[in-house]
């Protein structure tokens, strides 16, 4: 029955209006009807922005290839992860076009992660090509209704795989900006493992009193760790750079990697988890929503 329901759902997906799908998904994931006329909670406001705040700059900044130009223009190219190769043709993803050093292969137009390449001889390149051939034909907008993904021209990009001095994957710092100012910071550690945790801090590096977790593949969630993380030496710089990048937007999440005290830009996200994940305790969804101003004197 579930398989039949999913088949019907994906068949009808392209013809479901944006607002209706947002209402249905919000009720399903959050548990109450969304108020789009007078949004109060942070999740409600994120979904309001999803439907009403749509510009070409949103599309550019959501494109993992074109956003590099925005980063270079606003804060400089030094913060960009080295780009090794890009192509719109999956058949170009062959060993000859991939460096011998560790790299990651990903698409510019979705949020499905990437393929880590540590040793080219151990990669099934035909499988990689087939995987990206399928991904390049998908439009993430249809599922998420995040308009900024709708008009991205799909391509494959190959970047340097960031690793710390011990060969580990660096922590992922996500700075959530309200009206151009950093409000809170989430830190993802152990990504891709059962030990994937997400801690929440304010700009003074004090623990927040809420959690905003994502589902993991094992059915659990990216809840905070019991252990505190040391404040990064690059925190002030992360905040300064994030606020420069966030200036044109109401709400935006700017992601960073700290590799042995050297900062690299990760990505820009406009609707954290699509605005479809509960903030716990629920009172914090409204508290945070009160801090985000959807309308300014310039609107």
């Amino acid at each position: 029955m579930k398989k039949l329901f999913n088949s019907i759902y994906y068949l009808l997906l392209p013809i479901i209006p944006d607002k209706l799908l947002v209402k249905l998904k919000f009720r399903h994931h959050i548990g109450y009807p969304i108020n789009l006329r007078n949004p109060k909670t942070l999740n409600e406001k994120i979904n309001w922005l999803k439907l009403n705040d749509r510009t070409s700059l949103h599309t550019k900044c959501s494109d993992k290839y074109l956003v590099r130009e925005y980063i270079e223009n606003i804060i400089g190219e030094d913060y960009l992860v080295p780009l090794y190769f890009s192509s719109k043709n999956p058949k170009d993803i062959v060993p000859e076009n991939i460096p011998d050093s560790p790299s990651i292969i990903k698409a510019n137009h979705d949020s499905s992660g990437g393929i880590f390449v540590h040793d080219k001889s151990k990669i099934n390149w035909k499988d990689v090509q087939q995987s990206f051939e399928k991904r390049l034909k998908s439009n993430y907008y249809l599922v998420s209704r995040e308009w900024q993904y709708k008009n991205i021209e799909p391509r494959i990009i190959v970047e340097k795989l960031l690793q710390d001095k011990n060969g580990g994957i660096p922590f992922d710092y996500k700075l959530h900006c309200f009206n151009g100012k950093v409000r809170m910071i989430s830190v993802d550690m152990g990504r891709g493992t059962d030990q994937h945790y997400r801690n929440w801090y304010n700009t003074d590096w004090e623990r927040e009193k809420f959690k905003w977790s994502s589902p993991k593949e094992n059915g659990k969630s990216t809840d905070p760790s019991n252990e505190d993380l040391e404040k990064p030496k690059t925190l002030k710089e992360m905040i300064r750079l994030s606020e420069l990048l966030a200036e044109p937007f109401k709400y935006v999440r700017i992601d960073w990697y700290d590799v042995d005290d050297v900062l690299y830009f990760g990505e820009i996200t406009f609707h954290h988890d699509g605005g479809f994940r509960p903030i716990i305790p629920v009172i914090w969804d409204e508290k945070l929503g009160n801090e985000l101003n959807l309308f300014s004197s310039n609107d």
Side-chain angles (χ1 to χ4, degrees):
M1 182 64 70
K2 185 177 180 181
K3 189 174 182 181
L4 176 61
F5 174 82
N6 287 338
S7 297
I8 295 173
Y9 172 75
Y10 284 106
L11 185 65
L12 296 176
L13 196 58
I15 63 174
I16 300 176
D18 291 356
K19 185 179 290 188
L20 176 58
L21 189 62
V22 164
K23 287 181 176 181
L24 293 172
K25 293 187 74 169
F26 191 92
R27 179 66 181 262
H28 174 72
H29 291 289
I30 303 297
Y32 61 87
I34 188 171
N35 183 348
L36 290 172
R37 291 187 177 182
N38 185 25
K40 295 184 180 299
T41 68
L42 181 55
N43 275 309
E44 284 181 329
K45 289 188 174 183
I46 285 175
N47 278 283
W48 186 94
L49 288 168
K50 187 192 300 183
L51 295 170
N52 295 281
D53 191 21
R54 300 174 168 185
T55 71
S56 58
L57 185 57
H58 284 78
T59 296
K60 182 174 185 177
C61 289
S62 299
D63 184 325
K64 294 180 178 66
Y65 180 74
L66 293 184
V67 71
R68 298 175 65 89
E69 182 181 340
Y70 180 70
I71 299 303
E72 184 175 350
N73 290 340
I74 302 299
I75 62 174
E77 63 181 5
D78 291 345
Y79 299 98
L80 291 171
V81 177
L83 177 68
Y84 291 144
F85 183 74
S86 73
S87 175
K88 299 174 187 175
N89 185 354
K91 295 190 183 304
D92 289 338
I93 306 304
V94 293
E96 293 76 16
N97 290 329
I98 308 300
D100 294 324
S101 55
S103 60
I104 180 170
I105 308 172
K106 56 188 180 182
N108 69 321
H109 71 305
D110 61 19
S111 62
S112 299
I115 297 173
F116 290 2
V117 180
H118 295 279
D119 184 343
K120 292 194 297 185
S121 66
K122 296 180 179 179
I123 300 293
N124 186 322
W125 294 102
K126 189 173 222 180
D127 285 352
V128 172
Q129 291 174 4
Q130 290 176 347
S131 172
F132 278 98
E133 185 173 2
K134 183 177 179 181
R135 282 176 66 174
L136 293 191
K137 292 177 181 176
S138 68
N139 192 319
Y140 187 60
Y141 154 77
L142 284 177
V143 176
S144 70
R145 295 308 159 101
E146 296 175 74
W147 176 87
Q148 65 271 20
Y149 293 106
K150 185 176 184 179
N151 300 312
I152 294 177
E153 188 174 9
R155 71 166 61 229
I156 305 164
I157 56 178
V158 183
E159 294 180 335
K160 177 181 179 179
L161 178 63
L162 298 180
Q163 297 175 289
D164 61 28
K165 58 187 176 184
N166 298 316
I169 301 299
F171 290 164
D172 191 355
Y173 297 87
K174 303 176 185 294
L175 281 70
H176 300 248
C177 302
F178 292 9
N179 305 113
K181 298 294 181 183
V182 175
R183 167 56 183 85
M184 58 214 183
I185 304 159
S186 57
V187 189
D188 281 51
M189 59 206 94
R191 288 172 301 133
T193 73
D194 286 343
Q195 284 73 48
H196 182 175
Y197 296 102
R198 178 179 298 158
N199 287 4
W200 291 87
Y201 297 91
N202 63 23
T203 53
D204 293 322
W205 209 249
E206 300 165 334
R207 283 273 196 145
E208 291 283 10
K209 297 178 181 178
F210 60 84
K211 64 179 181 180
W212 197 5
S213 304
S214 303
K216 295 192 290 190
E217 291 183 0
N218 63 6
K220 297 182 179 180
S221 297
T222 57
D223 289 338
S225 166
N226 291 326
E227 297 181 8
D228 255 327
L229 298 177
E230 183 179 348
K231 182 171 73 172
K233 295 178 182 177
T234 55
L235 179 61
K236 286 187 178 179
E237 185 71 351
M238 257 191 269
I239 292 173
R240 184 184 73 84
L241 295 170
S242 295
E243 291 182 349
L244 288 173
L245 296 171
E247 193 274 332
F249 309 111
K250 307 289 187 187
Y251 166 85
V252 66
R253 198 191 79 204
I254 312 291
D255 295 1
W256 299 93
Y257 297 108
D258 182 322
V259 184
D260 302 320
D261 301 330
V262 177
L263 278 182
Y264 289 95
F265 165 78
E267 64 179 69
I268 290 178
T269 298
F270 292 104
H271 313 108
H272 177 71
D273 271 352
F276 293 138
R277 296 299 301 174
I279 298 174
I280 307 296
V282 294
I283 188 63
W284 277 94
D285 203 350
E286 187 166 347
K287 284 183 177 182
L288 293 169
N290 287 337
E291 298 181 36
L292 176 60
N293 182 16
L294 295 181
F295 307 100
S296 66
S297 58
N298 295 324
D299 292 331

